[in-house]
């Protein structure tokens, strides 16, 4: 299509969307007072952060299949009942259970020193006495292919720098073991996927392919990956001993946690908001994603406390097993399949509850025009940007069934500093920022749930 015609069509579409029902003046007039009330109440104290801190300090990480996750879920259900929320329940989900076991990495030559490391989720373990082998450092899959003959019998280290975001780099974590095994390696190491490091390794999920051997795969720090690369460039013979007790056990029972403010007129129509309550087995999982889960819970609790009952039901869902299986999101879809036609909107927070900037939205043009108008109610706290494209891993399964999806967007420049590390602790989050996240989620959920007509699909 010629660029000029394309530009005209874009302009015409934008003008048409701006004239769709649900005009901004009407939404502002009807809902700005209640939005201001919600925002004032949310930011009046540090209730959300305090609740997150209690959960994080009391239970620590909440890895799928772990006792700490199930104890945390028991506590959450009891607290939600105390809050007076409706339909508090745990919806059963079977989740994978991967156990890290004892693990270590040591540089044996040309010098001897320990290497901080974390096995990657789903990895197989090493023999009991570990694997000791020479290391081949590469900077890309393409380099590994060129040097495949050198990789045979060695430990391949992917020293891949952060490349303009998470997506381009995380693929080495996802499929690095496959590529290394295909080249004949006996194990693989990964430079942690992060733009900033204080010698902290980052874990995360990896994958295997049935056509090649499953080899152990672990992450080391950015600093140590760079050091090993320098040693190789000097001509040193780099040797590492890797020991991992990782194993996969049978699936274990877990739960999605659900609580609601029931709709006053159309309770069978639902706005869902939430985060994933599971975390990796390191740190406290406070940022990823305890904060998002508690913020959604607190948003619903706040509506209940203020006596705000929208026309439709607002449902908080704390999904289980996002990190290493997505079983919670798919189980929610399957359990509520018959109701998804009446799910008006799904909102997810999984980017850290840092200072909120607004939302990303995926849905029809007419629905986008409406949620932009709702977003304008948040201008007073500078969180009114609603852009195209948004959602989340846990709401992805129901978005595939046509439910409009929305992801909270925050000023999360530091998110990947702490992501999947022992440093993911509650002190990395600011109480005021978290309160603002509660405010924007509560306003968006309430207003969309209270509009006369559901968002058009």
């Amino acid at each position: 299509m010629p660029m000029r015609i394309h530009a005209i069509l874009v302009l015409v579409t934008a003008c048409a969307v701006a004239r769709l029902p649900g005009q901004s003046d009407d939404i502002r007039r009807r809902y700005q007072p209640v939005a201001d009330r919600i925002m004032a109440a949310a930011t009046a104290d540090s209730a959300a952060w305090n609740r997150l801190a209690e959960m994080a300090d009391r239970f620590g990480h909440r890895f799928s299949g772990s006792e700490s996750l199930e104890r945390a879920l028991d506590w959450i259900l009891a607290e939600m009942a105390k809050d007076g929320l409706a339909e508090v329940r745990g919806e059963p989900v079977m989740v994978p259970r991967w156990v890290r076991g004892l693990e270590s990495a040591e540089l044996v030559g040309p010098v001897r020193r320990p290497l901080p490391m974390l096995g990657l989720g789903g990895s197989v373990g090493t023999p009991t006495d570990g694997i000791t082998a020479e290391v081949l450092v590469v900077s890309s899959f393409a380099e590994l292919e060129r040097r495949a003959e050198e990789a045979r019998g060695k430990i391949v280290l992917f020293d891949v720098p952060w490349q303009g975001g998470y997506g381009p780099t995380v693929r080495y974590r996802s499929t690095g073991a496959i590529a290394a095994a295909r080249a004949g390696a006996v194990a693989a190491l990964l430079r942690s996927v992060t733009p900033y490091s204080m010698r902290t390794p980052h874990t995360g999920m990896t994958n295997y392919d049935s056509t090649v051997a499953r080899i152990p795969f672990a992450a080391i720090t950015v600093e140590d990956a760079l050091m090993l690369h320098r040693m190789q460039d000097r001509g040193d013979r780099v040797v590492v001993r890797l020991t991992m007790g990782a194993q996969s056990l049978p699936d274990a029972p877990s739960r999605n946690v659900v609580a609601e403010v029931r709709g006053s007129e159309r309770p069978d129509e639902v706005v869902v908001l939430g985060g994933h309550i599971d975390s990796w087995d390191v740190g406290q999982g406070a940022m990823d994603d305890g904060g998002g889960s508690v913020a959604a819970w607190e948003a619903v609790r706040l509506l209940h406390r203020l006596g705000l009952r929208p026309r439709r039901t607002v449902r908080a869902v704390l999904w289980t097993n996002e990190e290493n299986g997505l079983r919670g999101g798919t189980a929610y879809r399957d359990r509520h399949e018959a109701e998804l036609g009446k799910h008006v909107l799904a909102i997810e927070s999984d980017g850290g509850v840092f200072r909120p900037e607004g939302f990303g939205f995926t849905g029809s043009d007419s629905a986008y025009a409406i949620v932009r108008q709702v977003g304008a109610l948040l201008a007073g706290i500078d969180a009114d940007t609603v852009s195209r494209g948004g959602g989340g891993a846990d709401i992805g399964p129901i978005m595939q069934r046509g439910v409009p999806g929305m992801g909270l967007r925050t000023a999360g420049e530091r998110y990947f500093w702490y992501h999947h590390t022992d440093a993911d602790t509650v002190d990395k989050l600011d109480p005021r920022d978290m309160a603002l996240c509660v405010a924007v989620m509560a306003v968006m959920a309430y207003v969309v749930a209270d509009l006369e007509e559901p968002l058009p699909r």
Side-chain angles (χ1 to χ4, degrees):
M1 180 184 298
M3 291 300 295
R4 182 181 177 188
I5 296 175
H6 176 74
I8 292 171
L9 288 176
V10 168
L11 180 62
V12 169
T13 300
C15 293
V17 167
R19 292 194 297 269
L20 287 169
Q23 292 292 328
S24 57
D25 287 346
D26 181 50
I27 288 178
R28 185 179 298 112
R29 182 174 61 255
R30 292 170 57 196
Y31 289 109
Q32 192 68 64
V34 70
D36 290 343
R37 185 182 171 206
I38 291 170
M39 290 186 285
T43 56
D45 56 35
S46 300
W49 190 92
N50 290 338
R51 179 162 260 173
L52 173 63
E54 181 177 358
M55 182 182 75
D57 293 341
R58 184 183 295 226
F59 303 106
H61 77 74
R62 301 168 306 283
F63 193 44
S64 290
S66 69
E67 180 183 353
S68 56
L69 172 60
E70 298 311 310
R71 288 175 56 233
L73 297 182
D74 289 341
W75 177 80
I76 292 166
L77 288 163
E79 292 295 303
M80 285 178 163
K82 290 178 187 176
D83 291 341
L85 300 179
E87 302 294 330
V88 174
R89 61 193 184 272
E91 297 183 348
V93 184
M94 294 299 292
V95 299
R97 188 180 179 202
W98 178 80
V99 178
R100 179 176 302 280
L102 296 176
E103 58 182 16
S104 65
E106 181 185 15
L107 177 62
V108 177
V111 296
R112 185 177 292 271
R113 65 186 55 158
L115 301 173
M117 57 81 76
L118 285 172
L120 296 173
S123 175
V124 297
T126 65
T128 304
D129 56 352
I131 293 173
T132 302
E134 186 175 348
V135 174
L136 172 67
V137 187
V138 297
S139 298
S140 66
F141 287 136
E143 182 181 356
L144 177 60
E145 288 182 13
R146 291 195 304 271
R147 304 179 67 181
E149 288 300 319
E150 299 176 61
R152 188 166 302 279
K154 294 181 181 177
I155 297 173
V156 168
L157 165 60
F158 294 98
D159 176 28
V160 182
W162 182 264
Q163 297 176 333
Y166 188 59
T169 316
V170 76
R171 63 194 183 101
Y172 286 88
R173 191 189 75 201
S174 299
T175 62
I178 300 170
R182 188 166 288 128
V186 295
L189 297 172
L190 174 76
R191 168 175 165 163
S192 286
V193 181
T194 179
Y196 175 80
S197 179
M198 294 186 71
R199 211 168 179 230
T200 306
H202 296 236
T203 190
M205 193 63 187
T206 193
N207 299 294
Y208 289 112
D209 187 317
S210 61
T211 63
V212 294
R214 297 187 173 205
I215 61 174
F217 196 16
I220 62 174
T221 69
V222 170
E223 295 89 337
D224 287 338
L226 291 168
M227 177 185 69
L228 298 186
H229 208 157
R230 291 193 302 271
M231 289 177 171
Q232 176 175 280
D233 289 345
R234 294 187 194 108
D236 292 333
R237 182 173 182 267
V238 180
V239 179
V240 164
R241 177 181 295 113
L242 178 66
T243 304
M244 295 172 60
Q247 57 180 318
S248 294
L249 300 176
D251 288 357
S254 189
R255 295 156 285 178
N256 289 331
V257 170
V258 179
E260 301 175 351
V261 168
R262 295 290 287 171
S264 59
E265 295 180 11
R266 305 174 198 170
D268 58 331
E269 297 182 11
V270 179
V271 171
V272 171
L273 70 163
H276 67 86
I277 193 59
D278 67 302
S279 71
W280 279 103
D281 57 335
V282 291
Q284 294 180 326
M287 185 194 70
D288 182 23
D289 184 34
S293 295
V294 173
W297 169 12
E298 183 69 10
V300 174
R301 187 192 72 85
L302 187 65
L303 298 182
H304 172 72
R305 181 168 68 82
L306 294 176
L308 295 172
R309 288 189 63 198
R311 289 180 169 88
R312 299 172 187 82
T313 293
V314 177
R315 175 182 295 165
V317 181
L318 280 53
W319 286 280
T320 195
N321 185 233
E322 185 270 351
E323 292 292 7
N324 66 326
L326 203 64
R327 300 279 187 87
T330 54
Y332 181 88
R333 177 202 63 199
D334 294 345
R335 186 182 187 93
H336 297 274
E337 185 86 52
E339 311 158 29
L340 295 182
K342 293 189 176 182
H343 275 51
V344 175
L345 176 66
I347 306 171
E348 184 167 341
S349 172
D350 188 18
V353 283
F354 301 102
R355 179 178 56 80
E357 297 176 339
F359 296 93
F361 175 76
T362 298
S364 67
D365 287 343
S366 51
Y368 177 51
I370 293 170
V371 296
R372 284 187 65 192
Q373 294 161 18
V374 178
L377 300 171
L378 301 165
I381 55 174
D382 296 321
D384 54 327
T385 299
V386 181
S387 54
R388 268 297 195 181
D394 285 300
I395 63 176
I398 64 173
M399 289 175 64
Q400 291 173 0
R401 295 292 194 269
V403 179
M406 180 175 276
L408 178 67
R409 292 192 171 163
T410 65
E413 296 88 355
R414 292 175 287 119
Y415 180 77
F416 288 108
W417 293 12
Y418 313 119
H419 181 248
H420 296 181
T421 74
D422 278 309
D424 182 355
T425 51
V426 72
D427 52 278
K428 306 307 187 302
L429 299 169
D430 178 77
R432 170 73 178 178
D433 287 347
M434 186 170 180
L436 289 170
C437 289
V438 172
V440 299
M441 292 179 75
V443 168
M444 181 61 69
Y446 174 80
V447 175
V448 171
D450 196 61
L451 293 172
E452 291 183 8
E453 298 296 328
L455 292 180
R457 295 196 178 184

